[in-house]
Amino acid sequence: MRRPACSCNRSIRFVFLTFFALLYLAQTPRCAAKDYLTITSQPPGATVELDGVVVGKTPYSVEIPGGYLHGSKTIYGKLLRHQVHLRLSLAGYLSKELDLANGPTAWVALNGTNHGNYWILKTDTFNFTLEKAATSFAGTVQATLSNSSLVTMGPSLSTEDVVRRANPAVLYLSGSDGTGSGFLISDTGVAVTNAHVARNQGSLTATTANGQSFQAKVVYVDPTLDIALLKLEGGGFPQLRLAATQTVQPGSTVIAIGTPSRGCQNSVSKGIVSGIGSMKSEPGLWIQTDAAINPGNSGGPLLNSTGEVVGITTQKQFLSGDGRPLQSIGFALSSSDLLTVVHRFFPNVTQIQVNQEQHLGKGHLSIVSDIEGADVYIDGKLVGETPATFTLSNGVHKVEVKDQNGQSWQRDLEVLDDSDVKLTAKMSKK
């Protein structure tokens, strides 16, 4: 006759079975809670781009491996092996750009084997409040434009005069990702730089030639062209005038101003235009020059011989077929591309229109004043500063010179074919 099993043996057997069951569950992959990356915006409906690829609109959510959030501390899911760049855009609002992950971090196993680097998402949920973009900025932007392919430029200036006039409007820019250059285009503090200088930055520190520093808010980064717009707080800023790209051609003199890495602020380099055209895989119209353009110069102005902006310098390195750096090659994105962007925010750009009818005769006007730097108006349009020389079509023209106090000197002048007229404007009060 079998003896009944002892109740204590049954209890011990239950404890061991429970222990091994828990151990098995702890070491066996199971259906863990899923991880998601969520991106929202106010207002919703913004286009979501991850690493340059449009993946949807806000609110946006996608399942991700656990390793993207927990790194090598989890046994579930693969690791994130690269940075993830987000761009949000919505019509009528300023775009937002952000790197979503922290890293890189080295993944080293317990036995010392290095498995490379990985990144970890900063959080699983990103919320953004988009700032409404103004349809236009306050202030004025000046540009010398033409209604034909042939442009009559203003008087050429010495290199020293070009630099002296431009320097106050050129900026040294610094941020968390590095440094660059820029320049003011409006009296209200709107400035231009390269998109790669401003990208991922909410604001930059802008330092002028006289040492003043301003917070420059990044208000626009173009998604295609290497152009960004900044806004400095304040008013009464010096500004550079934009010019049509046609004011330069191969062989024309150009001057670049910017702050190269480990160089002097607002360093100057001079050269010629080597060529104008498109570049492979680079959108826009480009000006090639032999003027020295170094790291840190990116975003600074390329000026023609009258001190007007014809391009935004961009530091790019080019290699020969055998890998050697090419010398005396620099590039600037043309003013034509910049004007396209500027017109979106300044629909009423102050145009200093230059008309030239080739079938009409022409004469020359040289004008000076006893107050240097007075504004010269011809037929009601600002065309330069004294001293200056202009080419005018035959006929009667109204010439006006104004000083900074508003004092005016006027003459009606008849220009004859091949004439060479010299005028002196007496501005000083007796």
Side-chain angles (χ1 to χ4, degrees):
M1 183 174 180
R2 296 181 64 184
R3 294 167 53 187
C6 177
S7 61
C8 62
N9 291 338
R10 288 196 298 271
S11 298
I12 293 173
R13 191 186 322 172
F14 175 77
V15 170
F16 272 98
L17 289 174
T18 302
F19 171 77
F20 283 112
L22 292 174
L23 182 63
Y24 173 80
L25 289 174
Q27 295 182 345
T28 304
R30 60 193 183 278
C31 295
K34 295 181 179 180
D35 290 302
Y36 290 88
L37 169 64
T38 302
I39 301 170
T40 65
S41 70
Q42 290 298 328
T47 299
V48 180
E49 295 180 41
L50 295 177
D51 295 331
V53 178
V54 177
V55 294
K57 293 183 179 296
T58 56
Y60 172 78
S61 185
V62 62
E63 185 179 349
I64 56 175
Y68 283 24
L69 288 169
H70 312 293
S72 60
K73 296 180 180 180
T74 178
I75 63 173
Y76 304 108
K78 62 181 181 179
L79 298 179
L80 179 60
R81 293 297 195 151
H82 60 85
Q83 179 63 266
V84 179
H85 183 74
L86 166 71
R87 184 175 190 274
L88 287 182
S89 57
L90 181 65
Y93 293 83
L94 299 178
S95 60
K96 289 276 190 179
E97 298 199 33
L98 181 70
D99 286 334
L100 301 186
N102 292 320
T105 300
W107 179 19
V108 181
L110 294 177
N111 62 2
T113 303
N114 191 328
H115 295 285
N117 294 329
Y118 68 92
W119 282 253
I120 298 178
L121 292 176
K122 298 174 183 177
T123 181
D124 62 350
T125 303
F126 293 86
N127 302 305
F128 298 91
T129 299
L130 301 181
E131 183 178 351
K132 196 170 182 60
T135 56
S136 62
F137 291 121
T140 59
V141 172
Q142 293 185 346
T144 301
L145 305 177
S146 172
N147 62 354
S148 72
S149 60
L150 186 60
V151 176
T152 301
M153 293 177 57
S156 294
L157 303 174
S158 67
T159 302
E160 293 83 357
D161 282 340
V162 169
V163 174
R164 178 177 57 82
R165 296 186 183 193
N167 247 343
V170 179
L171 305 171
Y172 167 63
L173 303 174
S174 58
S176 59
D177 288 345
T179 63
S181 302
F183 55 95
L184 289 153
I185 61 169
S186 84
D187 55 345
T188 54
V190 176
V192 173
T193 188
N194 283 143
H196 72 262
V197 173
R199 187 166 284 121
N200 300 326
Q201 303 290 307
S203 64
L204 298 166
T205 298
T207 304
T208 61
N210 64 4
Q212 286 186 288
S213 293
F214 300 85
Q215 282 301 110
K217 185 177 181 180
V218 179
V219 293
Y220 177 77
V221 178
D222 195 89
T224 304
L225 298 169
D226 196 7
I227 296 174
L229 298 181
L230 313 175
K231 178 64 174 69
L232 281 63
E233 291 301 321
F237 289 99
Q239 64 187 108
L240 295 182
R241 180 183 299 163
L242 310 182
T245 307
Q246 300 100 303
T247 61
V248 292
Q249 56 187 335
S252 297
T253 297
V254 285
I255 297 168
I257 305 179
T259 304
S261 300
R262 300 184 180 180
C264 295
Q265 183 173 347
N266 287 16
S267 295
V268 179
S269 59
K270 182 179 178 181
I272 64 169
V273 173
S274 305
I276 302 175
S278 59
M279 289 200 325
K280 186 177 181 181
S281 73
E282 293 284 352
L285 180 68
W286 292 84
I287 299 174
Q288 181 182 324
T289 176
D290 64 352
I293 297 174
N294 300 296
N297 277 122
S298 289
L302 186 71
L303 306 168
N304 61 20
S305 60
T306 63
E308 299 167 323
V309 177
V310 293
I312 312 170
T313 59
T314 299
Q315 196 281 323
K316 291 180 178 293
Q317 186 178 46
F318 294 87
L319 302 177
S320 63
D322 57 1
R324 292 176 300 165
L326 296 177
Q327 302 297 321
S328 301
I329 292 183
F331 285 93
L333 189 60
S334 74
S335 55
S336 298
D337 296 296
L338 175 57
L339 282 164
T340 299
V341 172
V342 168
H343 271 294
R344 301 173 193 168
F345 300 95
F346 291 90
N348 298 316
V349 171
T350 302
Q351 299 183 9
I352 302 171
Q353 193 76 28
V354 182
N355 301 313
Q356 186 176 51
E357 300 294 339
Q358 297 190 62
H359 63 274
L360 294 178
K362 298 181 292 292
H364 300 283
L365 166 64
S366 298
I367 185 167
V368 297
S369 65
D370 53 358
I371 298 178
E372 185 177 352
D375 292 334
V376 179
Y377 293 80
I378 296 180
D379 298 328
K381 297 178 181 178
L382 178 64
V383 293
E385 299 176 346
T386 59
T389 300
F390 304 97
T391 300
L392 302 176
S393 59
N394 287 3
V396 177
H397 296 274
K398 185 178 183 63
V399 180
E400 183 178 13
V401 180
K402 289 183 179 180
D403 64 14
Q404 295 181 348
N405 297 320
Q407 186 176 353
S408 176
W409 178 95
Q410 298 181 19
R411 289 291 186 276
D412 288 331
L413 174 68
E414 182 175 7
V415 176
L416 303 177
D417 192 16
D418 294 327
S419 61
D420 192 355
V421 180
K422 294 179 175 60
L423 294 177
T424 299
K426 300 289 187 180
M427 309 294 296
S428 300
K429 293 182 179 180
K430 296 182 180 179

